[in-house]
Amino acid sequence: MDSTASASLASLWDEVTGTQPDPDLWVVIATLAAALVVVTPHGLWRLSRNAITIAHEGGHGIVALLTGRTLTGIRLHSDTSGLTVSRGKPTGIGMILTAAAGYTAPPLLGLGGAALLGAGRITLLLWLATVLLVAMLVMIRNAYGALTVLLTGGTFVLVSWLAGPQVQAAFAYAVVWFLLLGGVRPAFELQAKRARGGAGDSDADQLSRLTHVPAGLWFFLFHAVSLCSLLGGGRWLLGL
C-alpha cells in the first residue's frame, strides 16, 4: 500500500516538474491575439482587469510577507480596485517594497510564467498558479473578492485536471500573454486619472511620501518594468 502511494506521488511529481512539448507557433500567435482582445476594448478590459487586480494585490501580499510584515487581509472590489492591509513598521524598506509590488507584480508574474513556458514547464506553471490562488483565498476578506478568486482558481483546477495537453498549453500561453499585456495598461490608466485630479493616494503617491522621490519617477519604474517584461516575456513565448 505504502509503495503504491509512493509510486503515485513520484509519478505525480514527475508529471508536475517534467517538461511538455511546446505548442505550434499558430497556437502561440492565437493566444497572443486572444489576450489582446480582452485587454484592448474598454468593455472587455473592464471585466478582465479583475484578474490583474488579483495579481496586483497578491503582489502586495507576497512582498509584505517576504519582508516580515503581518498580512491581515486582502479585499477585491467590483470596480476592479483592491486593498491589501498589512501590519508592521510604517516606513522603511519593507513598506517601500510592499507598496512598489502592486503595479510591478502582474508583468513580473507574466515574465516568470514566460520563462517557465519557454522551458516547457506548462504543468508546473498551472500548478504554481493554483497554489498561489488558494493561498490568496485564505486572506480574502470580502465576498466579491472570494468569488473572484474562487472562479479564477477553479478555472485553473479544471484545466489542470480535466483538459488535454494541447488545451493546457493554449490556456497557459493565454494567461501569460494576458499578464504581460494587461500589466502594461494599469499604470497608464492611473497616471491619466491623477492628471485629472483623482487617485491622490495611489501606490505612486504612497511611495513618494515614503521615499521623497517624485511620484513621476515611480510611474517611470512601473512603465519600465511592465514594458521590459512584455518584451522579454514575448521573446521567450515566441521562441526568439
Side-chain angles (χ1 to χ4, degrees):
M1 186 73 166
D2 290 341
S3 61
T4 302
S6 298
S8 298
L9 287 174
S11 176
L12 178 62
W13 177 255
D14 289 341
E15 180 182 349
V16 172
T17 59
T19 60
Q20 293 76 42
D22 295 333
D24 294 333
L25 180 59
W26 74 265
V27 175
V28 179
I29 300 298
T31 54
L32 168 58
L36 282 170
V37 166
V38 298
V39 165
T40 305
H42 178 74
L44 288 175
W45 172 243
R46 181 70 176 73
L47 179 63
S48 64
R49 197 183 193 280
N50 284 282
I52 295 296
T53 303
I54 291 175
H56 178 115
E57 299 303 330
H60 283 312
I62 290 172
V63 174
L65 292 172
L66 290 176
T67 56
R69 300 180 63 79
T70 300
L71 182 61
T72 59
I74 298 173
R75 290 177 175 270
L76 306 173
H77 305 132
S78 58
D79 63 355
T80 72
S81 66
L83 177 66
T84 298
V85 180
S86 62
R87 292 199 308 268
K89 189 178 178 181
T91 58
I93 188 64
M95 188 63 203
I96 293 170
L97 291 175
T98 299
Y103 282 95
T104 56
L108 289 177
L109 286 171
L111 182 63
L116 286 175
L117 294 181
R121 311 283 181 173
I122 296 170
T123 302
L124 180 59
L125 181 144
L126 295 175
W127 279 61
L128 284 175
T130 303
V131 169
L132 289 174
L133 287 165
V134 170
M136 185 173 180
L137 181 62
V138 176
M139 300 308 302
I140 295 293
R141 295 293 181 265
N142 67 322
Y144 182 83
L147 177 62
T148 302
V149 175
L150 271 172
L151 289 174
T152 305
T155 302
F156 275 89
V157 170
L158 288 174
V159 172
S160 299
W161 283 97
L162 301 179
Q166 292 181 339
V167 174
Q168 288 185 3
F171 178 76
Y173 271 78
V175 167
V176 171
W177 277 123
F178 171 73
L179 287 171
L180 290 171
L181 293 167
V184 173
R185 187 167 175 175
F188 284 102
E189 290 180 332
L190 177 61
Q191 202 165 11
K193 189 173 182 180
R194 286 182 78 257
R196 297 192 298 269
D201 196 33
S202 68
D203 290 359
D205 293 290
Q206 293 179 39
L207 286 163
S208 181
R209 290 194 295 269
L210 287 167
T211 62
H212 305 292
V213 173
L217 290 181
W218 286 107
F219 276 111
F220 176 81
L221 172 67
F222 297 159
H223 295 320
V225 169
S226 63
L227 292 172
C228 288
S229 295
L230 175 58
L231 291 174
R235 286 177 61 86
W236 274 327
L237 294 178
L238 293 169
L240 300 177

